[in-house]
């Protein structure tokens, strides 16, 4: 049984660079979510897709952040012009209904 | 807006002792409630969930949780803790509407197990 996968697992970048993360959900899960988790905090919701439609975006998702889910399968989260405050764990989850299953996360460090 | 409070930031128990992690929520309707566990540097693993029905729910790894509507609580319990249970535990409330679907998490409780 393949779970949610995320790539890369770790990313170090310099301030001002663009980064892109990928999430592959569990097959046939039509819902996909992105969360951000900073040190010592619980995950915070960023955005939600149902199939290819992005139905909700948090105010945390500034205009430097963009997420896509072409064809309703994998999703990408891009951060443009990274800032040190973007350093966090980015978690992806998928669900067939109300229960969300999380991937291992991508840890981003912005220097 | 819904919110989740986990009053205990850090708990230490001896191996073999019982455990209770507290979770209180604020939500305008009957909530979907979850407990997840996170090992260092890892994603979140679902321990158990409550949607409706029996207020005592069983999960994986010997964990259980009890939903108490009158107290707005969903505390996690385990009768005998193992050293491998050391991790961070998150309580979450689910909001699901026609266009919105998301979890709101508490700040977590870090469990340390002494041998």
């Amino acid at each position: 049984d393949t779970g949610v996968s995320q790539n890369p697992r770790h990313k170090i970048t310099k301030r001002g660079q663009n980064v892109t993360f990928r999430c592959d959900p569990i097959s046939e899960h039509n819902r996909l979510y992105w969360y951000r988790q900073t040190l010592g905090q619980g995950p915070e919701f960023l955005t939600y897709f149902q199939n290819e439609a992005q139905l909700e975006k948090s105010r945390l998702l500034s205009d430097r952040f963009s997420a896509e889910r072409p064809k309703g399968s994998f999703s990408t989260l891009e951060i443009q012009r990274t800032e040190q405050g973007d350093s966090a764990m980015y978690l992806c989850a998928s669900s067939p209904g109300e229960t969300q299953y999380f991937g291992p996360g991508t840890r981003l460090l912005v220097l | 807006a819904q919110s989740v409070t986990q009053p205990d930031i850090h708990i230490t128990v001896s191996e073999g002792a019982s455990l209770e992690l507290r979770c209180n929520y604020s939500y305008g309707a009957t909530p979907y409630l979850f407990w997840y566990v996170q090992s260092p540097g890892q994603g979140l693993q679902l321990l158990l969930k409550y949607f409706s029905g029996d207020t005592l729910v069983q999960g994986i790894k010997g964990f259980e949780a009890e939903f108490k509507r009158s107290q707005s609580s969903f505390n996690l319990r385990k009768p005998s803790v193992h050293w491998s249970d050391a991790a961070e535990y998150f309580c979450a409330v689910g909001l699901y509407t026609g266009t919105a679907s998301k979890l709101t998490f508490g700040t977590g409780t870090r469990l340390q197990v002494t041998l």
Side-chain angles (χ1 to χ4, degrees):
Chain A
D1 181 22
T2 304
V4 178
S5 62
Q6 293 187 245
N7 288 288
R9 293 292 308 279
H10 303 274
K11 179 71 177 178
I12 301 174
T13 191
K14 294 182 180 179
R15 188 177 53 188
Q17 298 294 305
N18 299 342
V19 294
T20 300
F21 310 140
R22 177 178 170 125
C23 170
D24 287 272
I26 295 171
S27 301
E28 300 176 356
H29 280 192
N30 62 343
R31 300 181 185 186
L32 187 146
Y33 313 79
W34 286 98
Y35 291 82
R36 182 172 69 185
Q37 184 179 23
T38 53
L39 206 59
Q41 299 297 315
E44 295 174 292
F45 171 79
L46 291 178
T47 190
Y48 155 58
F49 290 85
Q50 185 159 316
N51 299 311
E52 65 275 8
Q54 188 174 20
L55 296 184
E56 187 177 2
K57 292 193 292 186
S58 163
R59 286 174 293 179
L60 292 175
L61 214 64
S62 76
D63 57 4
R64 295 186 299 106
F65 288 70
S66 63
E68 296 181 341
R69 192 183 183 196
K71 303 179 183 178
S73 55
F74 71 92
S75 176
T76 58
L77 177 68
E78 181 183 15
I79 309 175
Q80 296 183 326
R81 306 180 303 281
T82 53
E83 302 173 355
Q84 288 183 323
D86 297 330
S87 295
M89 173 83 92
Y90 290 84
L91 293 163
C92 175
S94 70
S95 75
E98 287 77 22
T99 302
Q100 296 182 27
Y101 299 90
F102 283 81
T106 295
R107 183 168 295 282
L108 172 66
L109 177 61
V110 182
L111 301 176
Chain B
Q2 69 265 33
S3 65
V4 178
T5 302
Q6 294 181 248
D8 304 306
I9 296 173
H10 188 198
I11 284 182
T12 300
V13 299
S14 300
E15 189 175 39
S18 63
L19 171 70
E20 182 168 26
L21 302 182
R22 296 183 290 166
C23 173
N24 293 95
Y25 66 89
S26 172
Y27 190 59
T30 301
Y32 295 107
L33 294 161
F34 305 84
W35 276 99
Y36 287 86
V37 61
Q38 186 177 38
S39 297
Q42 302 299 313
L44 283 78
Q45 181 182 21
L46 178 68
L47 285 177
L48 48 78
K49 60 189 177 185
Y50 172 79
F51 290 172
S52 65
D54 193 347
T55 56
L56 184 64
V57 294
Q58 303 295 320
I60 62 171
K61 304 185 179 186
F63 285 93
E64 67 178 25
E66 186 172 12
F67 170 60
K68 293 185 177 180
R69 184 187 304 277
S70 61
Q71 298 177 19
S72 297
S73 68
F74 188 56
N75 294 349
L76 182 71
R77 300 194 294 248
K78 186 169 185 177
S80 178
V81 170
H82 188 262
W83 63 267
S84 61
D85 293 325
E88 185 127 28
Y89 291 80
F90 292 95
C91 180
V93 171
L95 169 65
Y96 300 99
T97 68
T99 56
S101 179
K102 63 183 178 183
L103 295 175
T104 298
F105 287 85
T107 51
T109 297
R110 180 167 298 280
L111 174 65
Q112 183 176 358
V113 180
T114 58
L115 300 176

